[in-house]
Amino acid sequence: MIHASVDLAQRLEAAEALNGVECAEAHQQLNPALGATVLDVGGGFAVFVGVESPLTHALGIGMRGKVHADEMDRLEDFYRARGAAAGVDLCPLASASLVELLGNRGYRVTEFTNVLVRLLAGAEFAPAGTSVRLAYADEEYLWARTVGRGFLEKDDLTAEEVDVGNAIWHMPGSRCYLAFAGGQAAAAAAMAVRGGLATLFADSTVVGFRGAGLQVALIRERLRVAVEEGCDLATASTLPGSVSQRNYERSGFQVAYTKAILVR
């Protein structure tokens, strides 16, 4: 059992926020016209990667102490100037000052996310075999398209939809994995390692291949690599009650806390 302390939450949220920053930087390199950018505010970062992107919201806010009204003003001005709604990823262990500010400014909950963790000390994982592997350098499009097909549940993707996966591929710390079935790429996932913490994300399985254990295989392969690299902890985020949450729990993860995404 892992205690969801403030120290743990700070570690997890800092890694999540840095992933958001790197994703925005990758978007800016791939498509400068998008105007992807980041604002350092409130102990975290406000991330913008397009008006309609689910990645456009603030991360890690309130995890390093009190948040002041002028910081929220800066955050809201940042999104307003770009035609986007101001959204905040709220950790339940964030400063109470942030909760008060959000309530006074009319923010509402739009989504919940479970943050799961697993201790890795002493853990051992067998290699996944030939069905799961790190994506090769020339498989960027294949990986990005596989992620998009799984998330959007369709085969015909626009260039903008594929670009979401391309940005993850180009994040400096990202490692991208593929799972194969029937001779084709059927699932994909990514991992980033920061200071002994392995963050697992971008899990996606193409509709026709779900229920075959591909996500679990991807989870275990990434954990195997994380253990080899000396990580003491792994984390992932899922929608509450989802198949992904079940698969992570089957792989030894537990829910540390539930976050809310709030939008003004």
Side-chain angles (χ1 to χ4, degrees):
M1 182 68 68
I2 301 174
H3 174 59
S5 65
V6 172
D7 287 344
L8 174 64
Q10 288 175 337
R11 186 181 181 190
L12 300 178
E13 295 303 306
E16 180 73 10
L18 288 174
N19 283 342
V21 170
E22 289 191 353
C23 191
E25 292 172 347
H27 270 289
Q28 180 60 16
Q29 292 176 359
L30 292 170
N31 181 15
L34 181 65
T37 187
V38 172
L39 173 70
D40 186 340
V41 63
F45 300 96
V47 176
F48 175 82
V49 291
V51 173
E52 300 298 329
S53 174
L55 302 177
T56 293
H57 57 276
L59 300 161
I61 306 296
M63 296 306 300
R64 296 294 173 182
K66 185 175 182 179
V67 181
H68 300 278
D70 63 324
E71 293 177 294
M72 287 301 298
D73 290 340
R74 290 176 58 218
L75 183 151
E76 291 168 358
D77 289 344
F78 172 82
Y79 285 118
R80 185 181 301 112
R82 291 162 178 80
V88 176
D89 209 18
L90 177 63
C91 173
L93 287 87
S95 170
S97 61
L98 177 59
V99 178
E100 183 177 1
L101 285 168
L102 294 171
N104 291 340
R105 291 170 180 246
Y107 284 76
R108 63 183 180 86
V109 176
T110 59
E111 187 176 299
F112 291 101
T113 302
N114 281 340
V115 177
L116 297 97
V117 292
R118 176 188 167 134
L119 294 173
L120 295 180
E124 294 182 4
F125 299 93
T130 58
S131 63
V132 176
R133 61 167 172 78
L134 191 66
Y136 299 146
D138 62 352
E139 291 179 323
E140 174 182 349
Y141 180 76
L142 174 64
W143 186 87
R145 186 169 181 273
T146 303
V147 169
R149 289 174 66 201
F151 273 118
L152 300 174
E153 299 187 340
K154 63 179 185 179
D155 290 332
D156 296 326
L157 305 178
T158 65
E160 291 77 13
E161 290 167 342
V162 175
D163 280 348
V164 175
N166 288 337
I168 294 173
W169 178 279
H170 285 278
M171 288 169 54
S174 178
R175 299 115 178 266
C176 298
Y177 291 81
L178 286 166
F180 294 84
Q184 60 180 300
M191 177 175 73
V193 174
R194 303 179 189 278
L197 171 64
T199 303
L200 281 58
F201 61 101
D203 298 42
S204 180
T205 303
V206 176
V207 173
F209 297 95
R210 292 176 181 174
L214 296 178
Q215 185 183 21
V216 170
L218 283 163
I219 291 171
R220 295 184 69 82
E221 176 62 11
R222 286 174 289 171
L223 292 179
R224 183 188 69 80
V225 174
V227 169
E228 282 189 350
E229 297 192 6
C231 292
D232 66 296
L233 189 68
T235 184
S237 297
T238 71
L239 292 176
S242 63
V243 173
S244 286
Q245 179 181 331
R246 182 188 66 192
N247 286 337
Y248 271 99
E249 289 175 335
R250 286 176 172 174
S251 301
F253 285 74
Q254 67 180 67
V255 175
Y257 51 83
T258 301
K259 297 195 294 185
I261 296 177
L262 295 96
V263 176
R264 188 177 190 189

